[in-house]
Amino acid sequence: MTANGLDQIFPLGEKNDAYAQYFTGQSYLAPLASGSVPVSNVSFEPGCRNNWHIHHGTGGGGDQILLCTAGSGWFQAEGDDPVSMEPGTVVRVPAGTKHWHGAKADSWFSHVAFITPGEDVSNEWLEPVTDEVYGELPRNGATA
């Protein structure tokens, strides 16, 4: 168990300052593997979430894979109900899907994330998830 109470198998990493403008709250980034498929552990303090965003790509690329490893969080694709993420939850986000993910209001959350390789792979950051939208979600341990 770490000082923050999040028991996880991957390192917490450093404060995610390079992408802080695309998050509400504090996140941490721990690169796990580099190369053609970079893999990172991303951790979110309670209430932290990233902005709506879209991963683009062609030729099979641009899908995002999220594997929850610790804590409790949310994933939501535009127009869909939020998905509660607990350790062992895996989400595939097809390229071109507007979505966000982050911690529940009262829980830390960590996921391993990577983007499938292909052509024209890029990320488009959009507007923040509003406090109003986020505040309507069930609290820790509850499901949508």
Side-chain angles (χ1 to χ4, degrees):
M1 188 75 68
T2 61
N4 59 24
L6 183 66
D7 188 14
Q8 62 177 328
I9 58 175
F10 296 112
L12 179 66
E14 300 297 322
K15 287 185 176 182
N16 192 7
D17 293 337
Y19 292 91
Q21 65 189 6
Y22 305 117
F23 285 76
T24 298
Q26 184 63 60
S27 66
Y28 300 82
L29 183 64
L32 302 175
S34 58
S36 61
V37 184
V39 178
S40 295
N41 186 52
V42 184
S43 298
F44 302 75
E45 289 185 355
C48 177
R49 68 261 187 197
N50 54 30
N51 289 6
W52 288 97
H53 58 285
I54 302 170
H55 302 282
H56 299 282
T58 59
D63 292 358
Q64 184 177 45
I65 310 298
L66 304 172
L67 301 96
C68 178
T69 58
S72 187
W74 293 112
F75 162 80
Q76 187 172 21
E78 184 176 49
D80 291 345
D81 289 336
V83 174
S84 178
M85 295 187 71
E86 307 294 332
T89 303
V90 178
V91 173
R92 176 184 160 264
V93 187
T97 303
K98 183 177 178 180
H99 69 285
W100 69 272
H101 32 104
K104 291 186 178 173
D106 52 2
S107 176
W108 280 79
F109 172 59
S110 287
H111 64 53
V112 169
F114 63 91
I115 306 294
T116 58
E119 299 171 18
D120 304 316
V121 173
S122 65
N123 191 48
E124 178 184 2
W125 288 103
L126 303 166
E127 72 277 6
V129 176
T130 65
D131 289 341
E132 180 180 78
V133 167
Y134 184 78
E136 292 175 2
L137 296 168
R139 305 287 288 182
N140 181 37
T143 57

